Amino acid sequence: MHLLQGRLVMAVLTWNKFIEALYPIIPVLQGYADTKDKLGNCILTLSETSSDKGEGILPRTTRLRAALRLLFSKKQLVRSIALKHLVFHLLNEEGASLKRPNLHGSVFSSISNLFIIEKVIELKLDDKMESIFKVETVEKLHDILTSDAVDLVLRKSAAEQLAIILQDTKMHGIVKKLGVIEKILAYLNECVHVDGKVMESIVLPCLTLLRKLVYADPVVRLSLAQQSSLLLLLFRVSLIFQNDQAVLMETTVLLCLLLFDEVARADTWANGITSNGTGLPAFSLPVAVVRRYHLPVKITAHHAVSPNCVVVPLSSECLAMKPVSDMLKMAWNLSWYHGVENLLQLTNYEKQAETFLDMLKLSSEDLLLLKITHTTYGLQDCLNSIIQAVSHRDVRAALTRLSFYVLNDRLALKCISGSCRNTLKSFVWQKAINRFLQVLPASAEDEKLLVDVLRFLNKLCREQRASLEVDHLKWIMKSLLKNKPNSLLGLLVRPESQEQDEIDEIQTAVRQQLDKELIRLFNSLLFCSMSVTDREGLELAGSFRTELALKLLQCLRLTDAPHFYGLPLLERTLQGMVHVTALPDWSAYSATVEPVTICKKYLTGLLEVISSFYVEWGGNAMSFMGKGVTKSTVLCLLHLSHEMMAQAKDMDWISLWSLPYDNSEDQLPSHLGLAWLVPLWVDRDPEVRFTALGIGSALTSLEAGCIALAESCQNISGGLWGTVINILLDQSECSMVRREAAFILQNLLVIPIPTEEVKDCVWQGPCVHDEESGLSQTGKPALNALLYHCQFYEHLNQMVKHCYLGCYMFDLNSSREDNHIIEKSGITDLDDSLNLWKVPASQSHSSHSQSTSETMILSASQSLESVTELRSTVPTNSNNFIPETAVSRLTAQGQSDTTTAASPSQHDSATSAMSKQCAVVTPALLSAVCSLLHNLMIVTPKDTGIALQQVHLLTALSSLVSANLVERYILELKAPLGHPCHTEHVKAQVLLLLQYLSSVSRLLKACLLVDSQLVIQDELLKPLLGNTFTILSIRCKDGLDTELTSVLRETWVDLFNLLTTLLWKNSQISFPFVTAALANHCTAIIDTICDCVHLSNTYPALFMASLQFLSVLLSEEGRRQLQDEQSICQNSTVSFFLDHVEGSQTSVIQLTELIIQVCERKSSKDVLKEVAVSALLSLLAVSKSAQKCALEVDLIDNCIEQMKHIHVQLNLDSLKPGKAQRKKEDSLNKQLRCAMQLLRNCLFRNEECKMAALKVHLVPVLNLLWPWFLIDDSSMEIALHLLCVYTANYPAGCTSLCWVSSGQPSLSVRSAAGNSLMHNILKLASQVSNDNSSLQQVVFNLLSNLALSHDCRGIIHKSNFLQNFLSLSLPKGSHKNPSNICILWLKLLLNISFGEDGQQMIMKINGFIEQIVEMCKNRHKNSQYIALLILHNICFSPPNKPKILANDMAVAVLSTCLESDSEAVQRIGAASLWALLHNYQKAKVTLKNPSIRRKIDEAYSVVKTTPQPEGNELNAYYIRCLENIVQLLDC
């Protein structure tokens, strides 16, 4: 390490020589690379490129080899760093822009594990003396392989055969002379080229060939190993084929051979190489390399000890040294008796060891040392001593020894298998301790002994807190609950007479210590009981909590007695109450007392304590007495508020929290109400302030609580609104206190606030008073005035600027971390209880902000991280924590907050006020602020939206947390480097950041719903979408714990909902932004949605949110494809990402399979199925990969089978009339529509799927269901849509509609009978021809498709359906728009006219030409254009030419087209006239008419004199038509 760090103290020549000496052993040296120590980091820098010019410690090629080699390391972080070192070489490679793959984020997502392959292969080549292959065969195969004229399939076959032949090493020399290595490298280079996808099929046999040649020939291996281009080539191949295990294995083995060549060569490791019998040296690596790298091959190893290691010979006097002789003596005895257990079982060691030399005999001290240090024997001896003890002293001695074993575990660096903790689990130690828990102490000595027993149990529980055996926990709780009232729980409450007896100081101290140990034991048991999951354990834990709560309540009453004042006992009692009330349902397990009654008694006792220790003394400002009492009491009250919320849902319990208070004996009693909370809000202790505001947040979760608290604060300047806003905007206040103030404001906004003053209204909202004018305002105007006067939004903007996103604000090397560990271990019970109070994030809401979660409008609250947040965000300067005017805040607040008529100087004072020293703002505080803004946006949407825009607050909030920061923290959690305490801090910070992102997402969603322009701004949307998709790309399965995974998934729900709302509200603007952001994360997002689909049962909210986003996104993509098919950029569409980006196809197929499985598994009534079907429909419509997957999993077959089943069921149910059957029929129709929609999207623009539908007889099934379609228009419309898709560009599908079903869907024959589906469609079209409905449009669109089929045209002609065309009513006047049915008829006739038989059919309609000519005269652009095209097509049929020429109006219309302003109409006219003249001399007579000829000549003259753009084929065609017309007429 000193040499690697010594570059600056070495001469240049010395340094260069040192680096050259390292070359041969760099692979060995890199095995010790690590991120945790200095040597490992020094080794990592060897492969680093230190400048943009490509400079580094090692030469460029050596650096590249070193970086690639680190990808084989067994350490994840080392591989990640190697990837960073490798990026420089990839980006600066020659021609990198022309090579695959594109180096974007999704490609690098899993590269660090690319070469970590579980399967290991063995490299073997045949060593036969004679070869069975002929040289001519090898040469012929070589010629095929290297010939560019030979088909690629044959070349691949030749390569595979050569790979088999090269198993024989005799053939290697011939192949190398033929130059096969160069050709293989050429093929690989072609493959990685951007256009080289076609070469992928030949890669695998080429790699196998190259691997065998490289393995057998060290010279070739050495030559290729020094070619950096080859190494990068192989790496790119592995990236392209990272999902192909066979190719990936070959490239990994090849790179392994090339990268470890230095330490496998004989010139490097002399005398260390074996021969394999063929004259070729075996590929062998040092043991250090094999152990420290994850290699994909089984290879022999050498040099278990480095040949450079210097072995110092033992001194001749070594055995005479006492440490050595002691070691030899112990080792001899352990070996002789086959282990320490057998040695300790000897009853008479001296007799057994008589045959030993004196120097090998163990002394009595040695045997005693063995007995003590052997954990199993020592623990068993202690337990036996306790069981067999005849005096208190013996028990105490044994307990002391047991405590030392527990202490030894704690001092050990790591937990080992033979630890006291693990050993005790195998012992029945309860037998030794049980009698002390069953029998109450009868004397002072008994009490002392019980203290020792409880102290040992406390130590044991504390050490095993996270892994205490459930059986042990149940045993302890059963022991405590048995023998009532003579159990240990009864010791908490001693008879009053016993307390009054005179006892000496020693006994008093013993009893105090006994009380301490009891409370500690109970607190530990409460914590451990949270991990119990079985029914019996839950019942025991609940009973224990409730029984303990009742006992502690009795203790509290005793301490309130007039004759008793024991502050330490009161504090311990309250701390116990803190622990017990922190757990849910702690009051619900009493058989004799109702939970509400227990809660009421607790409330009464706790309010008495608050009254005695706080209110009567004027708070802590007047007395320091009871600071710990106040803190514990307030925390108990906070827990109690949530318990009463759960247990007293149907009663008014808010009124019970009002505190009666007598000012004097002469006055009537007055009620403080809830005003007793307000002094606690300005207490000197931030934890008291925070907890007291938490009580306010809990109480205001109910409307009654809001009203009661507001009434109680009427006498305070500023009232409740002014007080809470003042706390929230106080920059010197700590974040967790301000956060609770935000929660209270959030809850106050939930109750509807009147727009103007309403008499007799219980809730008026805030009230402000203008001192100058004397006017008052209430309701929403007052709220807006108050926020404006406080410069509320400007202060929030400052909060965002002062937000600190790191984990710490103090030195990690200080003693605070050690103090935290001590507190964690149970020495500070209150802090421990705060940690205990934190509820897992997997729950829907936390115990702290439950009120917020229940009352927030369309939102959810955040969980509490009280202690972690306090410790990690409070500056070390305590002055930041305690406001200078904390005591007098109540008298000053509200004077400015509630006065709206302020001078301009007051309005301009925000900057100076905000420039004061500010406390750090945490993400948790901003999360609460976002929730508050969410409610403000709903209460006063217009005013809030304007304010947010003015201060650009949404942009600041959305860009505050970078997703890269969250990713970095999560990576640190996946591979923890530091102390477990540091990991907990990092985890807490990640949770806070994720919860902040959730809050911002919900706020932005609310803004979108109110006014989408608030969010759709470039500076806000682009970074927001980038961060969003990055967070959605984080993989949950890669080493994240349950709590973090749960919070991450909750964040995903909010992010998906935000994206869905964004696309839903304004897709026209937002869709391009979403598509651009999705481009770099497409595969990862699809994988995330796959994970969400897996959670359909356990996390339905995430399942629905992810699929709703997918559905909206793909629906918009499909809509744009249909509208802008010509202008859309194909490389930037979502469809392109799904079907053509590498890796996405596999993910899309997996996603499609999962959604189909959900659709098949869920009931038709399940809302999850509806969401899944919607997503599947969108996915099938835009992705060919999804359609391919649906075809492979038989979705088409299953849908058609389901339709058959529904048909049978409908027929059966029709025989059972009734309302119930009607509902069932509606359900079946719904399933039928769903199946047809899935089929429709499966067949969309996919001929393979249409062929599959044809094979499984789709049309006969639809024909069977046709009667049911006729009575249900929605089903009919979907069926027609399905047929439109099925028949589009698929002649075989069109023909199948002409078949007649013979009763079974599987039997259909071509027939002229009138019961085919084609006939049914024609009947339907005749019926709806005058409806002007959506059904009319769909059926004519279908007929337009079918008209392109010869068979269908025949049925149309025979059915006389076309006669209906003549009955159309045309608009009077050429400028009036034709009806919708006219347009539909024209489209149908146009498709019929494309076939010659169709042209004849049309001309057989009497009066057709006159009708079509009238339509051509209409100036409506669309109808005129189609009508002209029909007339144009008819002109090409020789039999029709006389009829058209005989119609003067038709000829006039065609000639008039030449004078049209539309180039398209001009072309139609010219082409039609040319068609009439072609091979028809009689047409000349008509067209030589002077008026017609003049139009032709003028058109031709204009074309000749006007310059025409080059390359315009349509213009060229028009000119050609005119030229031919003129030429024919001039003949």
Side-chain angles (χ1 to χ4, degrees), residues 682 720-731 733 738 741 745 790 885 889-890 892-894 896-897:
V682 290
L720 175 61
W721 291 82
T723 301
V724 179
I725 289 177
N726 193 39
I727 296 173
L728 174 62
L729 301 184
D730 185 357
Q731 297 182 68
E733 183 60 274
R738 300 169 75 182
L745 281 173
C790 296
T885 58
R889 183 193 291 170
L890 287 178
Q893 70 185 5
S896 61
D897 293 350

Side-chain angles (χ1 to χ4, degrees), residues 846-913:
S846 69
S847 65
H848 162 64
S849 53
Q850 178 180 358
S851 58
T852 311
S853 68
E854 290 186 352
T855 59
M856 181 175 176
I857 306 174
L858 299 177
S859 183
S861 68
Q862 312 305 317
S863 64
L864 173 69
E865 297 292 345
S866 58
V867 173
T868 307
E869 179 186 352
L870 173 64
R871 288 175 178 157
S872 62
T873 59
V874 176
T876 54
N877 184 359
S878 61
N879 292 331
N880 289 340
F881 223 136
I882 305 174
E884 296 177 1
T885 58
V887 177
S888 60
R889 183 193 291 170
L890 287 178
T891 60
Q893 70 185 5
Q895 293 175 2
S896 61
D897 293 350
T898 57
T899 306
T900 59
S903 64
S905 61
Q906 287 177 312
H907 284 278
D908 297 335
S909 63
T911 305
S912 60

Side-chain angles (χ1 to χ4, degrees), residues 454-468:
L454 294 176
R455 185 180 288 118
F456 167 71
L457 284 176
N458 278 325
K459 290 179 180 178
L460 192 62
C461 290
R462 188 164 60 240
E463 292 303 318
Q464 298 187 9
R465 177 173 287 189
S467 60
L468 185 64

Side-chain angles (χ1 to χ4, degrees), residues 70 124 195 276 292 343 629 687 839 922 991 1492 1520:
L70 288 177
K124 282 186 178 181
D195 300 325
N276 58 10
R292 292 182 174 271
L343 178 58
V629 169
E687 290 191 39
V839 176
T922 63
L991 293 175
I1492 299 175
R1520 184 183 173 193

Side-chain angles (χ1 to χ4, degrees), residues 307-486:
N308 300 316
C309 179
V310 179
V311 181
V312 180
L314 289 175
S315 170
S316 58
E317 299 178 356
C318 181
L319 292 178
M321 300 170 61
K322 189 175 188 308
V324 176
S325 62
D326 288 346
M327 291 169 62
L328 179 61
K329 177 172 55 176
M330 191 64 70
W332 170 269
N333 281 273
L334 293 178
S335 300
W336 185 269
Y337 293 107
H338 305 291
V340 67
E341 292 84 0
N342 295 331
L343 178 58
L344 293 175
Q345 288 177 2
L346 297 177
T347 56
N348 190 350
Y349 172 76
E350 290 77 6
K351 184 176 182 180
Q352 294 286 340
E354 288 178 351
T355 58
F356 296 170
L357 296 175
D358 291 340
M359 64 177 297
L360 298 178
K361 292 181 180 179
L362 294 175
S363 64
S364 57
E365 292 82 1
D366 294 333
L367 290 172
L368 180 59
L369 184 64
L370 268 181
K371 292 178 180 179
I372 293 174
T373 55
H374 189 259
T375 307
T376 304
Y377 184 90
L379 288 174
Q380 189 63 61
D381 185 55
C382 291
L383 295 176
N384 291 336
S385 299
I386 294 175
I387 294 172
Q388 299 169 5
V390 294
S391 67
H392 290 26
R393 182 176 181 180
D394 295 340
V395 177
R396 281 203 200 98
L399 289 171
T400 303
R401 288 167 56 196
L402 282 173
S403 299
F404 278 121
Y405 282 108
V406 176
L407 177 63
N408 186 61
D409 275 2
R410 188 174 182 185
L411 295 177
L413 293 178
K414 60 181 181 179
C415 183
I416 55 177
S417 59
S419 65
C420 166
R421 181 190 314 173
N422 296 328
T423 306
L424 268 180
K425 290 179 181 180
S426 61
F427 288 166
V428 188
W429 56 272
Q430 298 92 328
K431 180 180 177 181
I433 305 296
N434 189 45
R435 57 175 173 160
F436 302 103
L437 302 182
Q438 296 295 329
V439 180
L440 294 183
S443 64
E445 287 300 316
D446 289 350
E447 291 180 349
K448 290 180 182 179
L449 181 58
L450 183 58
V451 167
D452 290 335
V453 172
L454 294 176
R455 185 180 288 118
F456 167 71
L457 284 176
N458 278 325
K459 290 179 180 178
L460 192 62
C461 290
R462 188 164 60 240
E463 292 303 318
Q464 298 187 9
R465 177 173 287 189
S467 60
L468 185 64
E469 290 288 330
V470 176
D471 292 338
H472 296 170
L473 183 62
K474 289 181 184 178
W475 165 75
I476 296 177
M477 289 191 292
K478 285 179 181 179
S479 300
L480 295 175
L481 294 172
K482 280 196 304 186
N483 303 325
K484 294 181 185 178
N486 296 323

